[in-house]
Amino acid sequence: MLRPYKILLLLLMAMLPVAMQAQRQMEFLNRGIVAMPNGKGAVFISWRLLATDAPNISFNLYRSVNRSKAARVNTKPITAVTSWLDEKTDSTKEYTYQVAAVVNGKEVKDARTYTVKAAAPAYISIPLRTPAGYAPNDASAGDLDGDGTYEIILHQAGKGHDNSHSGFTDPPIFQAYTLDGKFLWQINLGKNIREGAHYTQFMVYDLDGDGRAEIAMKTADGTIDGQGKVIGDSTRDYRNSAGRIIEGPEFLTVFDGRTGAALYTTDYVPSRGRVDGWGGSGGNGRTDNYGNRVDRFLACVAYLDGVHPSLVMCRGYYGRSVLAAWDWKNNKLTQRWVFDTEKGYPGYAGQGNHNLSVTDVDGDGKDEIVYGQMTVDHDGKGLYTTGIGHADALHVSDLDPERPGIEVFGTQERFGDAGANFRDAKTGEVIWKKPSVAAGEDGEGPGRALALDIDPRYKGYECWVAGANITGLFDCKGNKIADKTPPCNMGIYWDGDLLSEILNATIVGKWDYINSVTNKLLDARDYDCQHNNGTKSNPCLSADILGDWREELIYRTSDNKELRIFSTTIPTTHKFYTLMHDPQYRLSIVWQNVAYNQPPHPGFYLGEGMSAPPQPKISIIEPRKNDNAKNK
């Protein structure tokens, strides 16, 4: 029998907001030190501040020259930033850097070191084992071995086709590499998985809290895991005369991040059902029976209980949409819930995008899934739908810091009165919208949109779209503030101020809000790099995987034999914890590879006039021992 004081304690805990009770389990990260020549005779070094660090933390930086004994480079502890510009360098020498945290006078050196070799380039090089006829495409980052350093998981794409096109494709291939270039494994999804942007969404995350990331993907008969083991029946070929796959079993497989071995395989949910049952209502009004709309997939990871991550695999967005949530525990997938627009949510049909986002929209400490113009609550029930319909672009963050909570900026594919629209993420209330043409006219609406803080004169994120007769740059209130706009693909935090930079193809640019032009800061083409996905013009990955709070860029080289990782060398006066400790941002890196890539956004306002980032409610998984932390 519980004693009265324990009963009172339980009652008080039940009255507390869930967000105050729950702490999300998140991966251990080391300091992530990185050092890059800045092209001006100096080396720029930066490292991570962790969200769990003590408020009074400071740092010492150590350097060895040509493998001599390391010496401290700073005369007093570094407190204002997590970076250092080392101007006492010689490009003919080799430098190794190591950072130590100092709390209450006690120094703790991080295990990771970073070496800048003599005449080193301004990027990290990862040599690839690219199969003949393939090219590196989307990438993700996850700590596969639990040492606190990310590895790179890469989609090697051969000949592919969009869902709307017939034709045979090459099997999708996935590979894993360490940051120092070690090849780990290869997974071949086989001929019964089509190659293209909408078929294969690969989720990389520590799903069971063991400190190591798993990989989850849709698989089929003939998939070969990282240890050479075949899933299902390798003799089966379900491709029809048009190269489409509209019959045969569909699986969901969780792979071991360390080895690529298949750990568990189950049936993919939902199944195809009627091939012609996935278009029409609420979308573009069309359906098909040849395998276009039935093979549209999305995926994400979300903290549906506020503590543990769940895998969410999805199908459909033009008409019927189904989201299936799974928990990975004890080497087994258990279904948490299934949301199906055909089961009680007709108004939600046709509201999905070619992308999604995950965040806690209602402040209960548990994640919702922003599925285009509808949002699914953490318990698998519909939270709201706007009815605006399917679109291609989606941006979710605290876009207007003067309003409480999170906002969503998106588009409308069909011409109509909401070609650009801005809504409250919790309620779905449309705050403002811009018509693409006169309401009721038919046609294709804007294909892309961006929401970034690029003009310090207006607090909040500026918003703009590409195409459909919607011209100009708008502030977060919907007021037009400029006639010209920057490119409309992605954004990145690169230089030292609080404004976002423009990421378009291989170029990082700074928006000159006075003259309405974009000034180039970096062009990866100067380093023989190429962007991916045609006019979508995105890198393999944009994410804060190293150094301070600014983001890294990963591109492929023109010969497809190498990845090159770029990290900023621009000093900053701002000190923030790594963006990977912001729950929304971290999950944005997981879904960045999904269909039409969108830039990751933090779950708080990061821009001119911002407050200090909120302290995330996270608990860190205990680190695993690492035998070799050099450049790891």
Side-chain angles (χ1 to χ4, degrees):
M1 182 176 180
L2 291 175
R3 295 184 178 181
Y5 77 89
K6 288 189 176 181
I7 295 175
L8 179 61
L9 181 60
L10 290 172
L11 288 172
L12 289 172
M13 289 182 66
M15 294 171 62
L16 290 173
V18 175
M20 295 180 65
Q21 300 175 28
Q23 284 198 320
R24 298 168 184 240
Q25 293 179 354
M26 293 191 73
E27 63 207 343
F28 160 75
L29 293 175
N30 58 29
R31 291 293 168 190
I33 189 170
V34 64
M36 289 285 174
N38 72 349
K40 301 176 182 179
V43 173
F44 182 76
I45 309 100
S46 70
W47 56 91
R48 293 184 182 114
L49 179 71
L50 307 175
T52 53
D53 281 333
N56 63 339
I57 194 169
S58 60
F59 298 94
N60 289 326
L61 182 65
Y62 290 85
R63 179 189 68 182
S64 67
V65 183
N66 291 337
R67 304 186 184 184
S68 62
K69 184 178 179 180
R72 197 171 78 179
V73 300
N74 52 298
T75 56
K76 58 182 180 179
I78 303 165
T79 58
V81 292
T82 56
S83 59
W84 185 269
L85 184 63
D86 189 358
E87 299 179 289
K88 298 178 180 179
T89 60
D90 181 341
S91 63
T92 65
K93 297 179 180 179
E94 178 180 286
Y95 297 89
T96 297
Y97 297 92
Q98 186 175 26
V99 68
V102 183
V103 179
N104 297 326
K106 184 178 179 180
E107 184 181 81
V108 179
K109 285 188 177 180
D110 194 57
R112 177 185 164 93
T113 64
Y114 194 93
T115 297
V116 180
K117 295 182 178 180
Y123 54 80
I124 298 170
S125 172
I126 299 179
L128 299 176
R129 298 185 186 182
T130 303
Y134 281 69
N137 197 260
D138 288 329
S140 192
D143 183 4
L144 303 182
D145 55 12
D147 67 350
T149 295
Y150 289 119
E151 280 74 45
I152 303 301
I153 299 84
L154 176 67
H155 181 184
Q156 293 274 20
K159 180 182 179 181
H161 282 293
D162 186 82
N163 298 61
S164 59
H165 302 151
S166 295
F168 290 85
T169 74
D170 292 325
I173 288 176
F174 292 82
Q175 297 176 335
Y177 296 86
T178 66
L179 289 181
D180 58 1
K182 180 182 178 182
F183 174 82
L184 297 177
W185 47 255
Q186 175 174 296
I187 296 170
N188 186 322
L189 293 186
K191 57 181 171 286
N192 291 312
I193 296 287
R194 218 163 179 241
E195 174 63 81
H198 305 291
Y199 307 104
T200 300
Q201 325 300 337
F202 61 106
M203 299 290 98
V204 181
Y205 205 70
D206 179 11
L207 297 171
D208 59 1
D210 69 350
R212 296 184 292 252
E214 290 79 32
I215 296 90
M217 288 183 285
K218 182 174 177 285
T219 57
D221 278 339
T223 293
I224 304 172
D225 76 3
Q227 298 299 299
K229 181 181 177 181
V230 177
I231 295 173
D233 186 348
S234 63
T235 68
R236 304 307 298 267
D237 185 348
Y238 294 102
R239 297 173 294 177
N240 63 22
S241 60
R244 295 182 177 276
I245 305 161
I246 55 175
E247 61 179 8
E250 301 175 289
F251 306 133
L252 171 60
T253 300
V254 176
F255 297 90
D256 189 315
R258 295 166 296 178
T259 66
L263 297 174
Y264 188 86
T265 297
T266 189
D267 291 336
Y268 191 87
V269 176
S271 62
R272 294 184 188 92
R274 287 177 34 239
V275 171
D276 64 353
W278 295 87
S281 175
N284 55 20
R286 297 189 295 269
T287 188
D288 68 83
N289 61 4
Y290 58 84
N292 179 1
R293 290 162 179 80
V294 68
D295 261 9
R296 300 279 180 159
F297 300 97
L298 301 176
C300 62
V301 170
Y303 286 78
L304 301 175
D305 68 357
V307 178
H308 309 96
S310 295
L311 175 68
V312 184
M313 306 300 287
C314 317
R315 184 177 220 141
Y317 37 74
Y318 286 119
R320 182 188 180 194
S321 298
V322 182
L323 292 72
W326 302 86
D327 293 332
W328 173 247
K329 186 177 181 182
N330 298 325
N331 281 343
K332 184 178 180 180
L333 280 171
T334 303
Q335 194 173 98
R336 174 177 282 267
W337 49 252
V338 176
F339 171 91
D340 188 340
T341 57
E342 287 194 344
K343 296 182 178 179
Y345 295 100
Y348 288 67
Q351 302 303 311
N353 273 18
H354 293 295
N355 30 62
L356 47 66
S357 189
V358 177
T359 192
D360 176 13
V361 304
D362 53 13
D364 64 358
K366 303 173 184 179
D367 285 330
E368 283 71 46
I369 300 159
V370 182
Y371 203 80
Q373 289 292 343
M374 71 174 185
T375 294
V376 177
D377 209 346
H378 67 272
D379 57 4
K381 298 178 181 179
L383 186 63
Y384 66 80
T385 175
T386 68
I388 290 172
H390 164 78
D392 292 357
L394 184 71
H395 300 277
V396 181
S397 186
D398 188 4
L399 307 178
D400 183 351
E402 294 180 345
R403 294 187 76 259
I406 301 291
E407 292 81 33
V408 180
F409 179 63
T411 61
Q412 182 182 33
E413 183 169 279
R414 305 291 286 171
F415 278 156
D417 68 348
N421 53 85
F422 191 99
R423 75 177 191 259
D424 185 291
K426 178 180 179 179
T427 66
E429 174 196 357
V430 177
I431 300 165
W432 57 264
K433 58 186 178 180
K434 307 294 177 181
S436 47
V437 294
E441 291 191 27
D442 194 23
E444 190 79 8
R448 296 175 213 163
L450 259 182
L452 306 169
D453 186 19
I454 57 172
D455 190 331
R457 298 172 298 181
Y458 306 90
K459 191 170 183 179
Y461 285 36
E462 283 67 54
C463 305
W464 67 104
V465 303
N469 301 314
I470 303 176
T471 61
L473 188 67
F474 301 92
D475 67 12
C476 64
K477 309 293 186 183
N479 303 304
K480 189 173 182 178
I481 59 174
D483 292 323
K484 294 182 179 180
T485 64
C488 197
N489 280 316
M490 298 185 79
I492 186 171
Y493 295 107
W494 187 259
D495 70 6
D497 65 21
L498 296 176
L499 300 176
S500 178
E501 283 63 64
I502 306 299
L503 175 57
N504 183 46
T506 57
I507 297 175
V508 176
K510 190 70 174 180
W511 178 243
D512 178 347
Y513 51 88
I514 300 297
N515 299 300
S516 293
V517 295
T518 306
N519 298 315
K520 184 177 72 175
L521 300 178
L522 169 77
D523 189 348
R525 287 180 301 179
D526 296 339
Y527 302 91
D528 192 33
C529 290
Q530 301 288 325
H531 67 270
N532 287 333
N533 301 321
T535 58
K536 301 297 182 291
S537 301
N538 56 270
C540 297
L541 182 68
S542 167
D544 179 18
I545 61 171
L546 289 167
D548 63 21
W549 56 276
R550 272 87 59 84
E551 295 169 290
E552 279 65 50
L553 282 169
I554 305 180
Y555 287 100
R556 61 182 172 94
T557 52
S558 60
D559 62 5
N560 297 322
K561 295 181 179 179
E562 185 182 342
L563 291 181
R564 292 182 173 173
I565 304 177
F566 297 86
S567 187
T568 186
T569 59
I570 302 173
T572 179
T573 59
H574 300 286
K575 178 182 178 182
F576 301 134
Y577 57 76
T578 173
L579 295 182
M580 290 299 229
H581 271 174
D582 173 64
Q584 177 181 318
Y585 183 92
R586 180 64 186 93
L587 296 178
S588 299
I589 302 309
V590 181
W591 58 245
Q592 189 179 138
N593 67 78
V594 170
Y596 292 175
N597 307 63
Q598 300 289 280
H601 296 293
F604 58 89
Y605 174 61
L606 203 171
E608 189 70 22
M610 66 179 288
S611 303
Q615 191 67 26
K617 295 177 176 62
I618 60 176
S619 61
I620 303 302
I621 296 166
E622 285 297 314
R624 293 183 175 272
K625 292 182 179 179
N626 178 35
D627 296 329
N628 180 15
K630 183 178 180 181
N631 278 13
K632 281 278 295 167

